[in-house]
Amino acid sequence: MNVDYIIVGLGLAGIAFTEELLNHNKSFVVFEDNSQNSSLVAGGIYNPVILKRFTPVWNAKEQLDIALPHYRNLEKKFNKVYHHKIDIYRVFKSIEEQNNWFVACDKILLRDYMLPEIIQNKNKFLNAPFDLGKLTGTGRIDVKSLAHDYRSFLKQKNVFIEEKFHHNQIKNFEKHIEYQGYKSKKIIFCEGYGLKDNPYFNYLPMRETKGELITIHAPDLKVHYLIKSAIFMLPLGNDLYKVGATFNWDDKSKVPTVKGKDELEFKLNTVINCTYKIVEHTAGIRPTIKDRRPLVGIHPNNKKLAILNGLGTRGVMIAPLMAKKLYQHIENNSVLDREISIERF
Ligand SMILES: Cc1cc2nc3c(=O)[nH]c(=O)nc-3n(C[C@H](O)[C@H](O)[C@H](O)COP(=O)(O)OP(=O)(O)OC[C@H]3O[C@@H](n4cnc5c(N)ncnc54)[C@H](O)[C@@H]3O)c2cc1C
């Protein structure tokens, strides 16, 4: 069978690139083996401000200008709601932090999101003696539902193959590639941490980070905004809250651990003081790169292979823009900024 593209991996990167192909009437087939689940467990939060230091996220506006319409189109396509706008409240740790907040509120890239006032904490179950700062223009994408619907959609179109892609079975020809009976012009690898098993691209310096999350049921809490303190606490409705996340650079498994749960509970107990029950515990590996920039580009020695990876901790915001840039690079020879191009390694 002849196709324009083979895509390996259907997380946020694979979905964004597949959408590009559909928008340009290209044919394709997607391989997905469920070996990674970063996109499926992600909090799905998008937030253009780094809340540790009150600095702007790299290229946030450019990313959101593409990302929000991308998710809106997917909502229309499947007649579902994936995008939930939600304000973020940052718990201050000190008077000094309150002052830093006001300084940051004046900065050009931040003032659209950070409100220049201190919000008094009126919730007795929330520990916030120095009160809160409020961010707007933030939200979350229900990535798990989106990924589920996207798979069903591709299955219906008969272009979703639920099995492992074996790199050693790629056959190279002058103008095309063959893989298991598919003749394709290009293969795009969107494998997340699966990159480690890709002999063509695993020279790229991924510094993967495992993350764990718990979901709690806390009927007394009644918080309707995202709380960011030592951890984030994201209201899901029905008194459920997603709480996360841990950062572990040593453990390479996607299995939830007691250590991860204990760390989250310890931090959570510094933030709230009501009873709760843990109802879910998940983990995944973030495809983070040493320099915290994505991996986009065509293989230096094989022009039929390309990569879309390195989305790190912000796949929701960054995936749609990077997918566009990669598509334009492949189809129209547009130049990739060095910052995102794999040529930097
Ligand atoms: C705990 C946690 C919380 C997070 N919270 C947020 C958040 O709130 N907001 C945000 O923006 N980001 C968040 N992230 C980061 C976000 O999840 C990632 O940036 C994003 O999911 C990466 O998407 P991806 O498609 O590159 O990788 P993945 O989601 O890992 O997808 C790669 C896909 O490729 C498949 N695959 C790999 N190898 C093969 C193969 N050989 N054959 C077939 N299929 C293969 C895998 O099964 C997988 O489905 C979080 C991550 C974690 C772990």
Side-chain angles (χ1 to χ4, degrees):
M1 190 178 172
N2 289 333
V3 289
D4 294 318
Y5 285 82
I6 292 174
I7 297 178
V8 182
L10 195 74
L12 281 164
I15 291 174
F17 197 81
T18 306
E19 276 298 286
E20 278 305 299
L21 296 183
L22 285 167
N23 291 340
H24 292 91
N25 290 319
K26 298 285 179 189
S27 58
F28 61 87
V29 62
V30 177
F31 284 81
E32 169 56 59
D33 68 350
N34 303 308
S35 56
Q36 297 299 321
N37 59 355
S38 186
S39 298
L40 301 182
V41 302
I45 302 155
Y46 68 86
N47 165 24
V49 181
I50 298 173
L51 283 173
K52 210 169 176 180
R53 301 182 292 272
F54 309 148
T55 49
V57 166
W58 168 74
N59 273 353
K61 189 176 176 323
E62 196 192 351
Q63 290 171 25
L64 280 177
D65 283 349
I66 299 295
L68 296 181
H70 167 77
Y71 297 113
R72 221 170 12 246
N73 288 340
L74 289 167
E75 289 185 323
K76 273 194 208 144
K77 186 179 193 128
F78 300 130
N79 196 19
K80 289 270 184 75
V81 176
Y82 304 117
H83 179 196
H84 305 271
K85 286 187 180 178
I86 183 159
D87 294 334
I88 298 181
Y89 283 60
R90 166 68 150 79
V91 176
F92 293 127
K93 289 191 265 239
S94 61
I95 298 286
E96 191 192 348
E97 269 204 341
Q98 292 180 347
N99 293 336
N100 293 343
W101 178 270
F102 280 108
V103 173
C105 284
D106 274 343
K107 298 194 173 146
I108 286 175
L109 292 171
L110 300 174
R111 63 182 171 215
D112 287 347
Y113 305 104
M114 297 173 70
L115 264 59
E117 56 180 306
I118 305 283
I119 310 288
Q120 214 191 334
N121 174 30
K122 293 191 180 139
N123 186 328
K124 64 177 179 177
F125 297 117
L126 187 66
N127 303 327
F130 293 98
D131 293 316
L132 309 136
K134 181 177 171 182
L135 281 172
T136 59
T138 49
R140 85 169 166 102
I141 302 296
D142 183 351
V143 181
K144 194 175 173 181
S145 301
L146 168 61
H148 176 265
D149 293 343
Y150 211 87
R151 282 176 181 214
S152 305
F153 163 70
L154 295 186
K155 275 182 195 166
Q156 273 173 15
K157 289 172 92 59
N158 261 329
V159 291
F160 187 72
I161 300 176
E162 206 156 1
E163 57 185 62
K164 185 175 173 62
F165 182 93
H166 298 278
H167 305 87
N168 59 5
Q169 291 179 21
I170 296 176
K171 290 186 194 146
N172 268 296
F173 296 88
E174 202 190 324
K175 294 224 165 103
H176 74 277
I177 267 185
E178 274 184 36
Y179 180 80
Q180 289 189 358
Y182 286 96
K183 263 187 179 183
S184 177
K185 290 182 197 147
K186 292 268 188 280
I187 304 182
I188 312 296
F189 294 104
C190 305
E191 301 160 300
Y193 177 50
L195 172 79
K196 71 181 190 310
D197 296 324
N198 183 327
Y200 295 96
F201 286 104
N202 64 5
Y203 71 93
L204 294 165
M206 185 169 278
R207 199 161 168 254
E208 62 282 354
T209 330
K210 177 171 179 175
E212 299 193 36
L213 294 152
I214 52 175
T215 303
I216 60 165
H217 183 237
D220 295 331
L221 195 55
K222 304 293 177 221
V223 167
H224 305 292
Y225 36 82
L226 189 150
I227 293 288
K228 177 74 180 89
S229 185
I231 33 96
F232 75 75
M233 206 171 66
L234 169 71
L236 301 173
N238 299 324
D239 298 320
L240 294 170
Y241 301 83
K242 211 179 247 285
V243 177
T246 59
F247 283 80
N248 186 323
W249 287 268
D250 302 319
D251 182 356
K252 310 291 182 198
S253 81
K254 56 174 188 179
V255 185
T257 63
V258 174
K259 190 170 163 239
K261 182 173 78 69
D262 288 350
E263 181 187 327
L264 289 171
E265 270 208 272
F266 176 79
K267 288 183 176 165
L268 178 63
N269 293 337
T270 66
V271 183
I272 60 171
N273 58 67
C274 56
T275 53
Y276 61 85
K277 208 170 102 191
I278 298 177
V279 295
E280 193 186 29
H281 180 192
T282 51
I285 305 195
R286 304 174 186 89
T288 34
I289 307 305
K290 231 166 121 189
D291 63 3
R292 303 202 154 258
R293 294 288 178 266
L295 295 175
V296 184
I298 297 172
H299 194 276
N301 303 323
N302 187 338
K303 302 296 171 211
K304 294 172 220 95
L305 307 179
I307 184 168
L308 181 56
N309 206 321
L311 305 184
T313 56
R314 294 198 170 80
V316 164
M317 278 173 70
I318 201 170
L321 178 64
M322 293 306 126
K324 268 194 195 311
K325 294 207 176 216
L326 179 60
Y327 181 85
Q328 291 304 330
H329 180 57
I330 292 171
E331 292 287 337
N332 300 325
N333 269 331
S334 73
V335 178
L336 291 173
D337 297 335
R338 194 168 167 78
E339 245 182 334
I340 63 169
S341 166
I342 55 171
E343 280 180 12
R344 72 191 188 275
F345 297 111

